[in-house]
Amino acid sequence: MLLGRGCGAQAGREIGVDREEVVREFERYLRLERDLSPHTVRAYLADVNSLLDHTGGDVEGLDIGVLREWLAGQHAAGKARATLARRTACARTFTAYCHRRGWLQTDPGLLLGSAKSPRTLPSVLDQRQAEAVLEAPATGDPKELRDQALLELLYATGVRVSELCALDVDDVDRERNIIRVLGKGRKERSVPFGVPALRALDRWCIHGRPLWMRAGSGPALFLGVRGGRIDAGTVRRVVHARLAQVEGAPDMGPHGLRHSAATHLLEGGADLRSVQELLGHASLNTTQIYTHVSIERLRAAYRQAHPRA
């Protein structure tokens, strides 16, 4: 907020908006009003602090020239285009918020162009590689049962790794073969899965999960070796390890299985809107990148096989 006049050495000049209070209130806005994920809140706060470091903490001095100068410095420092796009979006959100609160007389973010991050085509498995990745192990070891179940579910549903880790036992509807997922923005959706994933889940829940359950396990569907809810790092290690066993498969994490699932759905004839709903994309534009993946693979097959390519 605007503070009063100082005294002594500061008499005669106005003390500006308090930086710490602004950042604190902006964090509250992001968490409670925008309901952004903790990861996004942390990223936005880091961006805002970088911007305010550039201004020497002067919130009221933010104008379009300062914003462009800050972003130009980020570009000169070699920041990736995706990072610059996020920081541009953050700057616009921040200045709009400050304007609404009365900390800025005008909103300079309205004059700031939107930086677009490059839309690179994600690496995906072909269907033969996907079958090899999901080949069930012969042992009944709890770790193998868990790993098989989470791999099957990742590929069958295309859920994000954070969504997978947050699943509880009751989120699985075995009668209708669907899982209830809490996605970005706390939006709930139901995602179907097939028989192989159901069988893998049943094997884990009947023969594996009970052996790892502890007092603090709670309702978590997937557990770590110590009985707690599985974390994203463990899931990534599982995916990387299984992919390393498949000859020719690209090295990618859980999001690669999400990309692969979406691509294979479209190749199998699913319509774009249905894939959007399954993946939990807010915009159809986000889902459309998978159509480019499929087209590129068709072009590659054409060039390789057609005698007049």
Side-chain angles (χ1 to χ4, degrees):
M1 64 181 174
L2 288 173
L3 303 180
R5 301 264 182 186
C7 58
Q10 292 189 352
R13 71 178 179 87
E14 186 176 345
I15 299 175
V17 176
D18 181 69
R19 169 181 173 164
E20 291 185 3
E21 180 183 352
V22 169
V23 173
R24 188 165 55 247
E25 290 297 314
F26 185 57
E27 177 184 10
R28 179 182 175 84
Y29 163 72
L30 295 175
R31 286 191 298 104
L32 301 182
E33 296 186 41
R34 292 285 299 277
D35 198 22
L36 299 181
S37 70
H39 175 77
T40 302
V41 172
R42 285 194 300 270
Y44 269 37
L45 291 180
D47 294 343
V48 164
N49 278 309
S50 172
L51 173 59
L52 294 179
D53 286 344
H54 178 75
T55 67
D58 181 12
V59 177
E60 294 170 295
L62 284 173
D63 58 27
I64 186 60
V66 170
L67 293 177
R68 287 172 175 163
E69 186 181 73
W70 173 63
L71 290 169
Q74 301 289 309
H75 182 268
K79 298 299 182 184
R81 288 182 63 184
T83 301
L84 292 174
R86 189 199 70 222
R87 291 189 173 176
T88 300
C90 173
R92 296 177 70 175
T93 302
F94 180 62
T95 58
Y97 176 73
C98 288
H99 178 54
R100 288 196 301 273
R101 292 294 302 267
W103 295 328
L104 290 175
Q105 290 186 357
T106 61
D107 179 7
L110 293 174
L111 302 175
L112 195 62
S114 298
K116 294 183 184 263
S117 57
R119 301 196 72 182
T120 55
L121 297 182
S123 297
V124 295
L125 302 170
D126 61 35
Q127 295 189 30
R128 178 193 58 79
Q129 291 168 338
E131 289 289 339
V133 168
L134 298 174
E135 186 175 341
T139 70
D141 177 74
K143 182 180 182 303
E144 295 289 351
L145 295 176
R146 181 204 65 186
D147 292 354
Q148 184 66 24
L150 68 84
L151 285 166
E152 286 279 5
L153 203 60
L154 279 171
Y155 177 70
T157 62
V159 294
R160 302 175 179 93
V161 63
S162 58
E163 295 169 345
L164 179 92
C165 294
L167 287 174
D168 291 336
V169 173
D170 290 343
D171 291 329
V172 182
D173 185 336
R174 286 173 168 78
E175 292 185 2
R176 296 190 295 163
N177 279 30
I178 61 172
I179 55 171
R180 186 172 63 251
V181 178
L182 193 63
K184 288 186 175 181
R186 301 186 185 278
K187 294 179 180 177
E188 186 176 293
R189 69 185 190 277
S190 295
V191 186
F193 58 86
V195 173
L198 177 63
R199 290 172 178 165
L201 280 171
D202 283 344
R203 286 193 293 269
W204 157 244
C205 289
I206 295 171
H207 302 295
R209 187 176 180 276
L211 299 179
W212 281 6
M213 285 183 62
R214 302 291 184 270
S217 296
L221 176 61
F222 292 111
L223 305 176
V225 292
R226 297 182 180 179
R229 184 180 296 274
I230 199 170
D231 60 80
T234 300
V235 178
R236 291 190 183 95
R237 287 192 292 273
V238 170
V239 174
H240 282 295
R242 186 65 71 89
L243 285 169
Q245 299 173 11
V246 178
E247 184 177 356
D251 182 26
M252 55 191 186
H255 218 67
L257 292 183
R258 176 174 165 87
H259 291 318
S260 300
T263 302
H264 297 167
L265 280 167
L266 289 168
E267 289 178 342
D271 65 275
L272 199 60
R273 185 69 68 179
S274 296
V275 176
Q276 177 194 4
E277 291 294 326
L278 290 171
L279 298 181
H281 286 158
S283 169
L284 192 62
N285 289 334
T286 309
T287 316
Q288 284 177 335
I289 190 173
Y290 298 114
T291 65
H292 300 316
V293 173
S294 297
I295 290 169
E296 285 302 313
R297 289 177 60 175
L298 286 172
R299 285 175 178 167
Y302 181 87
R303 286 194 297 266
Q304 180 178 351
H306 200 284
R308 297 178 67 84

